[in-house]
Amino acid sequence: MTNIGEYAFRGCSSLTTINIPASVTSIGDYAFYVCEGLTSVRSYATTPPTLGSSAFSSTPTTMIIYVPDTSVDAYKAASGWNIYASQIKPMSEYVES
């Protein structure tokens, strides 16, 4: 899998955790739009995938995005991801609940 398409999980309120494989290079527009139950995202890609418009809009502001430890700064600076900079944390901080 290299792409998560537009509207792929839109409105999926029962979705609480997402694991994005390292092979993903792009996430489409509104892919996770209005996923109100989303608490954590784990992206295993060392290079931030291209993030479509409003991909994570209307998700909880408490949602944490975990990324590879060596890629935190790259995600925080990447277009689209940068609006979630305060929510981006190193994968080593992830604690399974």
Side-chain angles (χ1 to χ4, degrees):
M1 172 196 283
T2 60
N3 179 35
I4 297 173
E6 293 182 359
Y7 301 97
F9 296 95
R10 178 179 175 252
C12 192
S13 60
S14 62
L15 189 64
T16 59
T17 302
I18 301 165
N19 292 312
I20 300 171
S23 59
V24 171
T25 58
S26 67
I27 299 171
D29 296 346
Y30 300 95
F32 300 100
Y33 180 69
V34 193
C35 288
E36 297 170 341
L38 198 55
T39 59
S40 68
V41 174
R42 287 181 281 182
S43 179
Y44 292 92
T46 54
T47 299
T50 302
L51 193 61
S53 173
S54 301
F56 291 105
S57 287
S58 297
T59 56
T61 57
T62 55
M63 175 186 74
I64 304 296
I65 302 169
Y66 296 97
V67 302
D69 290 24
T70 57
S71 301
V72 171
D73 291 337
Y75 274 82
K76 287 183 175 185
S79 179
W81 293 99
N82 58 348
I83 63 173
Y84 305 103
S86 65
Q87 295 166 261
I88 296 173
K89 308 288 182 199
M91 195 75 70
S92 61
E93 290 185 14
Y94 178 78
V95 177
E96 188 107 22
S97 53

